[in-house]
Amino acid sequence: LFYLFYDGLDADGVGRIGLATAGDGLNFRREGVLIEPGAGAHDSERVADPALWFDDQAQVWRMFYSAFDGATWTIGHAESTNLVDWTPDPTPSFAPEDGADVGAPVVVYVSGELRLYTARRDEDGLWDLALARSPDGVRWTDEGVVVELNLEGDEPPGVGLASAVSEVWGLD
């Protein structure tokens, strides 16, 4: 079974994260909404941009996503053991100490650590590519901007990264 995690807006502009599945990897069927806004104050208005990682030590799936409270974008986090039932955290997984907006996460496991690449809005209102590192996916060290992109926009642009090793995940 193939899993496709996506975000979308309803007619009222409310953003949610959903799931679609396919037996053949081509013909997907929507299964429903997985993450709604409002798990905490940090994601009260919108959730978007799901990025998944399987935590071998904890034996859980971790989803990192853009979380918007109406004023600030942060990175939200949820856990699942079956890819269908998710428990979002009530507080951001990552929010820079300087209060900068961050979103559109990409999570890559490299050399024994997680690297969280995000879009990050600078003081001029432009989006750049930033990095945070973690040994466990819970505690993050903010490395700041790593590439100045100077992209305009109200919402975080996708950072367009992918792991060098691609894997397709599925459950039997």
Side-chain angles (χ1 to χ4, degrees):
L1 191 59
F2 293 87
Y3 291 79
L4 174 67
F5 299 88
Y6 63 92
D7 68 76
L9 298 174
D10 67 13
D12 296 323
V14 176
R16 296 177 172 87
I17 295 172
L19 170 65
T21 60
D24 61 4
L26 299 173
N27 299 296
F28 284 88
R29 181 176 64 106
R30 287 185 181 174
E31 300 293 340
V33 174
L34 300 178
I35 308 282
E36 296 263 2
H42 70 292
D43 65 1
S44 59
E45 294 291 320
R46 185 166 175 203
V47 295
D49 309 313
L52 276 71
W53 170 66
F54 185 72
D55 184 338
D56 285 326
Q57 288 186 316
Q59 290 295 296
V60 297
W61 289 93
R62 297 188 182 278
M63 179 189 296
F64 299 92
Y65 57 90
S66 300
F68 187 59
D69 65 5
T72 304
W73 288 94
T74 59
I75 302 300
H77 171 263
E79 291 184 1
S80 175
T81 57
N82 62 11
L83 293 174
V84 175
D85 302 305
W86 291 87
T87 304
D89 294 343
T91 58
S93 174
F94 176 70
E97 288 184 19
D98 65 3
D101 286 322
V102 291
V106 173
V107 180
V108 182
Y109 189 77
V110 179
S111 302
E113 71 176 4
L114 277 174
R115 295 182 186 177
L116 176 68
Y117 292 93
T118 65
R120 182 179 183 138
R121 192 178 343 227
D122 64 22
E123 59 277 353
D124 294 327
L126 301 174
W127 293 95
D128 298 316
L129 177 63
L131 171 66
R133 298 172 190 254
S134 174
D136 56 13
V138 177
R139 297 166 292 144
W140 295 95
T141 300
D142 185 3
E143 300 291 341
V145 172
V146 293
V147 178
E148 289 187 17
L149 300 173
N150 297 318
L151 298 175
E152 296 180 356
D154 293 332
E155 299 181 9
V159 296
L161 294 177
S163 175
V165 178
S166 231
E167 295 186 42
V168 176
W169 294 95
L171 298 178
D172 292 331

